[in-house]
Amino acid sequence: GCGICVHKCPFNAITIVNLPEELEEGCVHRYGVNAFVLYRLPVVKEGMVVGILGPNGTGKTTAVKILAGQLLPNLCGDNDSWDNVIRAFRGNELQTYFERLKNKEIRPVVKPQYVDLIPKAVKGKVRDLLKRADEIGAFDEVVDELELRNVLDRNIDQLSGGEIQRVAIAAALLRNAHFYFFDEPSSYLDIRQRLKVARIIRKLADSGKAVLTVEHDLAVLDYLSDIVHVVYGKPGAYGIFSQPKGTRNGINEFLRGYLRDENVRFRPYEIRFTKSSDRQSQASEILVEYQRLVKDYGGFRLEAEPGTLYMGEVVSIVGPNGIGKTTFVKMLAGVEKPTEGEVDWELKVSYKPQYIKADYEETVYDLLSKIDASKLLSNFYKTELLNPLSIPDLYDKQVNELSGGELQRVAITAALIRDADLYLLDEPSAYLDVEQRLAVSRAIRHLMEKEGKTALVVEHDVLMIDYISDRIMVFEGEPGKYGKALPPTGMREGMNRFLASVGVTFRRDPDTGRPRANKEGSVKDREQKEMGEYYYVS
Ligand code: ADP
Ligand code: ADP
Ligand code: MG
């Protein structure tokens, strides 16, 4: 029968009952009575990148703290020594690892998840920080690879999110360690930077190091990992590491919501990708034809070519950081006035900014019900948006006390329940875990299809872009200097143009239809580049 049985409750309340007895042996750490419990651990292998995917609150960081020797696991009892841990993992691949960890033969290095906290802890210039970190004499090489040359003389507290992320990754790479852990390396990075960082981390494993990484961008995780573990369970209550799986299969099982070896269904629906050209596109009626728009900030100039948006379509906006995507969206939202051209339409616009302010001293419920209380009661909105994003769990919380991910979910919800003709969402996946990204993607698609509304979404997560988009808008130029917004085009044409500039080709996975980045120089990569088909030749 079923090893672990799963109730098909409302989406956010999937509970696994009847934890099988054999799991008790895999009980690694319990924070306290009625506190979070972690079952099993991921493997650590020299020369390999082990990817971890799963929702937040399921023990990923806890597992890493244990493997880094920062947390002695209590083995769900009153364990007080690493010798007992070694005994508990006898016969397991981790036995030797823990023996070496106990003998201080393993030096771990961790790139933390919350890089925005780094400026509070570390002061001074980037150059000095990286010089101090450099134990392998690779300062220049790493600085150039991560494109940090022109920020070396800046203070840490003057960096953008993407710059701090790359400095943190560089600092980890420069250490001489055995075991490297990268917690969410792609946050704040654009698509080109994400794939570049993935390549650099891969190289580290190829040089014989053991690498573990948590990553919520599935295209990046796919590109990066040799094997993956899916973590499932109930966020905040317990988390279980699956057996190690091949990367392709592990991600596919995750998208299906069903782990075959474990015989566990952990999500009631499956995520499938369809080619946008295969979609029953209702997008035929024109919503708006916007004029040529220019914004000149003095130091930076954006020029947007005129374009057309259709009713019922989702258009993704792609391009590097600092190229003017937010500036463009702000002009459409009426937040910034164009230097040339006019946004002279009569459309109702709902806008979720990239940077969300949270200075509301009211509850989430009050905030949302002021926008449209009826949507909170609507079955359609409950099923498609509120429950999948676990919004009811947040109703009683104060908006100014929400975490980054909670605030993002509330802001997306606030934008989507507002009655409008055009929805502008600037980087909705930031701070969200992989499960929430899937939920947001589904919500955007279903809502726009059902209501015949239009959405423009700035996004760097390739799977999300592929899942939600009917068409795409490409931004080109030189970041920080000038940007050019091309008109919305078909996915194939737009992605082709964009990916050619990134230098990476994608194919489609035959089972799930998801995009997969080709390894650089592989047969497929070379073939597709020769044909000029950077995106999915089937
Ligand atoms: P993830 O990395 O998957 O987001 P974590 O390992 O950070 O998960 O946390 C898993 C759960 O353990 C969370 O519910 C968190 O609140 C809880 N937790 C983490 N640290 C402690 C602690 N020191 N004491 C009690 N609970 C903790
Ligand atoms: P993206 O969203 O593509 O990352 P942005 O539109 O946020 O890019 O920014 C594009 C450029 O415009 C950046 O160099 C940024 O520093 C600059 N910029 C943005 N807002 C302003 C402003 N209010 N005044 C001056 N420069 C700005
Ligand atoms: Mg932006």
Side-chain angles (χ1 to χ4, degrees):
C2 111
I4 298 178
C5 308
V6 178
H7 278 312
K8 281 195 184 179
C9 303
F11 295 178
N12 62 328
I14 302 165
T15 49
I16 300 180
V17 293
N18 305 337
L19 283 173
E21 275 167 24
E22 65 258 29
L23 252 191
E24 284 307 316
E25 281 169 36
C27 196
V28 173
H29 190 72
R30 188 188 293 273
Y31 277 114
V33 183
N34 290 327
F36 179 84
V37 192
L38 173 67
Y39 296 94
R40 301 206 193 107
L41 287 172
V43 298
V44 181
K45 278 194 203 276
E46 281 171 4
M48 275 206 176
V49 179
V50 177
I52 301 176
L53 78 157
N56 285 336
T58 52
K60 301 185 297 299
T61 301
T62 302
V64 165
K65 281 191 183 150
I66 292 169
L67 292 171
Q70 294 163 359
L71 173 68
L72 176 67
N74 57 25
L75 303 173
C76 302
D78 51 7
N79 172 51
D80 60 3
S81 84
W82 285 103
D83 285 323
N84 292 331
V85 177
I86 294 165
R87 215 164 294 133
F89 282 86
R90 184 170 290 155
N92 183 295
E93 286 177 283
L94 283 175
Q95 179 185 350
T96 326
Y97 180 86
F98 281 124
E99 276 165 0
R100 293 177 62 202
L101 191 67
K102 183 202 152 202
N103 296 334
K104 306 249 182 302
E105 289 165 16
I106 286 190
R107 189 163 168 238
V109 164
V110 177
K111 197 293 291 174
Q113 176 184 0
Y114 298 108
V115 290
D116 33 339
L117 299 181
I118 292 175
K120 293 205 180 83
V122 189
K123 304 284 171 213
K125 294 215 186 310
V126 172
R127 181 189 305 278
D128 301 330
L129 170 89
L130 294 181
K131 284 272 184 203
R132 276 199 307 275
D134 187 14
E135 297 167 344
I136 56 171
F139 178 89
D140 285 307
E141 192 189 326
V142 168
V143 162
D144 286 334
E145 269 192 313
L146 287 166
E147 298 169 13
L148 291 169
R149 188 68 59 191
N150 58 4
V151 300
L152 284 178
D153 290 312
R154 277 214 236 140
N155 276 319
I156 310 283
D157 58 9
Q158 294 169 335
L159 301 177
S160 69
E163 288 162 349
I164 303 177
Q165 180 70 274
R166 284 178 288 134
V167 168
I169 292 169
L173 291 169
L174 287 168
R175 297 283 181 190
N176 187 16
H178 302 91
F179 163 53
Y180 294 78
F181 174 64
F182 295 91
D183 201 348
E184 303 195 20
S186 83
S187 309
Y188 303 108
L189 301 184
D190 62 39
I191 293 174
R192 192 183 60 84
Q193 294 165 334
R194 288 177 188 203
L195 292 166
K196 185 152 195 185
V197 160
R199 238 176 277 154
I200 293 170
I201 294 177
R202 271 236 54 85
K203 251 189 5 201
L204 188 64
D206 292 340
S207 77
K209 306 290 190 180
V211 181
L212 199 63
T213 178
V214 170
E215 182 49 60
H216 296 293
D217 178 320
L218 287 175
V220 173
L221 185 85
D222 187 36
Y223 192 56
L224 189 63
S225 312
D226 294 297
I227 54 174
V228 298
H229 287 273
V230 178
V231 195
Y232 58 100
K234 195 170 182 220
Y238 60 93
I240 305 163
F241 274 83
S242 78
Q243 299 302 322
K245 295 169 189 286
T247 302
R248 173 175 174 266
N249 176 46
I251 293 177
N252 285 357
E253 290 191 4
F254 177 76
L255 290 171
R256 269 183 224 121
Y258 176 72
L259 303 177
R260 202 171 44 200
D261 292 346
E262 286 80 3
N263 191 16
V264 169
R265 171 156 291 287
F266 59 88
R267 190 192 317 113
Y269 61 87
E270 159 173 3
I271 298 288
R272 291 197 136 272
F273 293 78
T274 42
K275 287 188 206 158
S276 60
S277 54
D278 294 348
R279 267 190 200 125
Q280 291 280 336
S281 191
Q282 306 148 325
S284 49
E285 216 172 310
I286 291 177
L287 174 76
V288 68
E289 291 177 277
Y290 58 85
Q291 319 174 355
R292 173 174 175 276
L293 299 170
V294 173
K295 183 74 201 184
D296 203 326
Y297 281 126
F300 176 84
R301 180 182 163 93
L302 171 72
E303 196 180 317
E305 292 179 9
T308 307
L309 296 174
Y310 294 89
M311 287 162 75
E313 72 170 348
V314 180
V315 177
S316 285
I317 293 180
V318 295
N321 283 334
I323 205 79
K325 303 182 298 299
T326 295
T327 302
F328 176 73
V329 168
K330 278 183 175 167
M331 289 195 287
L332 297 193
V335 175
E336 285 280 2
K337 210 177 138 28
T339 316
E340 290 170 37
E342 245 186 294
V343 178
D344 57 352
W345 58 35
E346 298 278 301
L347 298 178
K348 267 188 284 174
V349 174
S350 178
Y351 170 47
K352 187 212 72 80
Q354 178 175 3
Y355 304 102
I356 313 158
K357 57 175 180 11
D359 45 4
Y360 300 97
E361 288 201 16
E362 58 184 348
T363 64
V364 169
Y365 184 83
D366 288 342
L367 175 87
L368 295 176
S369 62
K370 265 193 262 171
I371 297 169
D372 190 343
S374 72
K375 297 266 174 62
L376 304 184
L377 300 171
S378 137
N379 277 332
F380 181 71
Y381 277 83
K382 276 192 209 164
T383 315
E384 298 296 338
L385 178 67
L386 303 168
N387 290 342
L389 289 190
S390 307
I391 296 297
D393 295 349
L394 304 175
Y395 277 164
D396 295 333
K397 292 204 180 183
Q398 294 274 119
V399 177
N400 57 9
E401 288 169 1
L402 299 175
S403 73
E406 290 169 343
L407 189 61
Q408 184 69 275
R409 279 144 56 207
V410 169
I412 292 169
T413 303
L416 290 175
I417 63 171
R418 198 180 292 276
D419 188 38
D421 307 301
L422 176 61
Y423 293 84
L424 302 171
L425 305 175
D426 198 346
E427 303 210 12
S429 76
Y431 302 104
L432 298 187
D433 68 35
V434 59
E435 196 63 54
Q436 293 160 347
R437 289 179 192 204
L438 299 181
V440 166
S441 304
R442 265 170 62 98
I444 293 172
R445 266 237 69 84
H446 290 181
L447 259 48
M448 297 308 137
E449 271 172 16
K450 168 93 189 310
E451 310 270 310
K453 300 297 176 65
T454 306
L456 262 181
V457 185
V458 179
E459 211 11 273
H460 296 298
D461 182 312
V462 172
L463 263 76
M464 265 189 85
I465 291 169
D466 189 77
Y467 186 88
I468 63 176
S469 311
D470 297 289
R471 294 196 302 150
I472 196 155
M473 219 181 142
V474 180
F475 278 57
E476 295 177 343
E478 196 177 327
K481 294 216 169 80
Y482 67 91
K484 184 169 177 180
L486 303 177
T489 57
M491 282 300 281
R492 184 186 190 127
E493 187 188 338
M495 281 304 264
N496 239 336
R497 174 147 187 168
F498 172 67
L499 291 175
S501 72
V502 176
V504 175
T505 56
F506 277 82
R507 66 189 183 283
R508 241 178 223 287
D509 177 67
D511 292 345
T512 57
R514 70 183 161 97
R516 304 190 72 195
N518 292 316
K519 296 264 183 288
E520 201 180 10
S522 65
V523 176
K524 272 219 146 62
D525 183 54
R526 279 182 286 134
E527 279 176 6
Q528 287 185 226
K529 278 178 178 161
E530 237 163 69
M531 291 187 290
E533 294 281 3
Y534 282 75
Y535 197 55
Y536 305 158
V537 198
S538 41

